[in-house]
Amino acid sequence: MRAAADPAAGITTELDGEAPAFGDAVLAELTGDEAAAREGFERVLASQDVPAALAARAALHLAQMESRAGKSRHALDLVVRAEALAPSDPVVIDGVAQLRAAAVAASGAGDIRGPRVGTALTGVEPAVAEQFAAAERALDAVHKLRPRPLIEALSSSIRLKEAVTEDVVAKYRAVAEHGGTALVAGHYRAGSLYHDLALGLLFELPPELDPNVAAGLRRTLRGRALAYLHKAVTEYKASLAAEPHPDAELWRLAAETDLHAAESVLGEGK
């Protein structure tokens, strides 16, 4: 059995003076103190004073933690950051490959960003709740779409997913027009669709593809993926622009979390 990539591999004591939090976080993870480990890795990743390679390892540790917790979408956000920080680091490359495979498997099992699909919209008129429920059913169908492994059919299957995504985004925007909780939830779901489409273009290509072909496709699709991430940010901000309301708190929290993740990937976060 192949051993999982160790993001701490190759980190020498020379780095400890620059980022002792990394060593402390690794030790905490090894001894089962996940809360302390997470706090340490997040501190390293947020620091401006550590080498890019070390920040990438911290992002990879956090991605592995998210993946183990079943949060593969958030794990992919961190994978994108790790890869951007240290694209030539062999440990990062190996870890990214393993996490990508885990994310593809999880997406097939129904992993979806934010509140579970089918979450009822409360505090709205029955007709609006049903309109949202219909959009939720369409969302579930979008996440079941997979690029076809045959290179001849791959481009058309990607275009199909883009088109279907835009169609479901329109459904959620129509819900958002009702304002209040519907606005918060509708724009959040629209943002999550764009967010997941962006990551899907980069990380959910068919595993049957030749690695060199897949790498070339990711380079080609990167511009489109970044454009979708910008659209996600716009939708998340629209979600958070509404007046706070108790019925919308779950959706606001999801929007805040995923806005931060998307902006971090784009380099726009504070």
Side-chain angles (χ1 to χ4, degrees), residues 135-136 138-139 142 163-173 190 193:
E136 291 283 276
L139 170 68
V142 169
V164 173
T165 294
E166 292 287 3
D167 181 63
V168 181
V169 164
K171 294 180 188 297
Y172 281 115
R173 284 178 176 160
L193 276 157

Side-chain angles (χ1 to χ4, degrees), residues 71-215:
K71 301 176 180 177
S72 64
R73 299 290 170 180
H74 291 158
L76 283 179
D77 292 333
L78 290 157
V79 164
V80 172
R81 294 184 71 183
E83 199 168 38
L85 285 163
S88 302
D89 187 315
V91 172
V92 171
I93 291 170
D94 192 33
V96 165
Q98 292 181 36
L99 284 162
R100 180 183 297 132
V104 171
S107 66
D111 177 58
I112 291 179
R113 188 180 301 276
R116 65 178 179 80
V117 174
T119 296
L121 200 59
T122 58
V124 299
E125 294 294 325
V128 178
E130 176 51 38
Q131 186 180 11
F132 184 79
E136 291 283 276
R137 292 190 289 273
L139 170 68
D140 191 38
V142 169
H143 280 280
K144 290 177 180 176
L145 291 175
R146 293 287 175 271
R148 297 178 62 184
L150 296 176
I151 192 65
E152 297 83 359
L154 183 57
S155 293
S156 60
S157 62
I158 289 173
R159 287 195 299 271
L160 173 63
K161 184 156 188 177
E162 289 176 311
V164 173
T165 294
E166 292 287 3
D167 181 63
V168 181
V169 164
K171 294 180 188 297
Y172 281 115
R173 284 178 176 160
V175 171
E177 290 177 0
H178 294 282
T181 302
L183 184 151
V184 178
H187 281 301
Y188 170 72
R189 282 296 202 215
S192 73
L193 276 157
Y194 283 135
H195 198 155
D196 287 340
L197 177 59
L199 296 183
L201 290 175
L202 296 175
F203 292 107
E204 294 179 5
L205 296 176
E208 299 92 338
L209 285 180
D210 178 270
N212 292 327
V213 173

